[in-house]
Amino acid sequence: MVYYAPMEIVFERLTETARMPFYAHEGDAGMDLCADEALTLSPGERVAVSTGLRVRLPMGTEGQVRPRSGLALRHGVTVANAPGTIDAGYRGELKVILVNLGREPFAVERGMRIAQLVVAPILRPAIAEGAVDDATARGAGGFGSTGL
């Protein structure tokens, strides 16, 4: 069963050509974000691509900007800071930092789906200083400590 939290996310178009985000399929976690400009990403290049949108997220949530798997697999194009975080208080234009990890230039067209936006609840615990008990089964093991 998919749980849909009763909330509303408001998007504002900053340009007439901006496409509103949308869920491609029932039950999808992420809504598609589209480019509002055309450009070509050279291999190794990073660009903040305009969506032409602003958003008002509910307090207690964050927007996570994630890559689209098809772009990553077929072209090596991904979100450079994945997942990028949009804080609930941010009111600037949404931009997606794309990077071309592929071998060929990649053409971004206006209206192309370039990333996904997942809205998630956040926890904001109090920060405390003190001793950290290392007595766990895992301890300080990390970065491959469990083998292949």
Side-chain angles (χ1 to χ4, degrees):
M1 178 171 98
V2 176
Y3 174 72
Y4 296 100
M7 69 173 66
E8 182 176 73
I9 299 168
V10 177
F11 289 93
E12 177 186 349
R13 292 179 207 247
L14 300 174
T15 69
E16 290 184 16
T17 56
R19 286 183 68 187
M20 290 294 288
F22 59 94
Y23 292 100
H25 304 284
E26 181 68 26
D28 283 357
M31 61 187 87
D32 288 331
L33 293 174
C34 299
D36 193 41
E37 63 181 319
L39 55 91
T40 299
L41 271 170
S42 298
E45 186 178 13
R46 292 181 307 277
V47 174
V49 181
S50 172
T51 65
L53 299 169
R54 292 187 337 146
V55 65
R56 184 177 70 225
L57 294 168
M59 290 306 292
T61 68
E62 68 159 328
Q64 299 175 359
V65 180
R66 300 181 183 186
R68 295 196 66 239
S69 58
L71 288 181
L73 177 63
R74 293 182 190 93
H75 305 285
V77 174
T78 190
V79 176
N81 61 327
T85 296
I86 302 168
D87 293 310
Y90 177 68
R91 292 297 183 267
E93 181 183 2
L94 298 182
K95 293 191 176 190
V96 177
I97 305 172
L98 290 183
V99 61
N100 183 355
L101 302 176
R103 296 185 186 108
E104 303 293 327
F106 181 77
V108 174
E109 299 171 7
R110 178 176 274 122
M112 176 184 279
R113 296 177 299 158
I114 57 170
Q116 298 180 77
L117 177 63
V118 174
V119 177
I122 58 167
L123 298 175
R124 191 166 179 191
I127 299 170
E129 183 177 351
V132 175
D133 180 8
D134 290 330
T136 66
R138 181 176 184 164
F143 295 110
S145 64
T146 58
L148 295 177

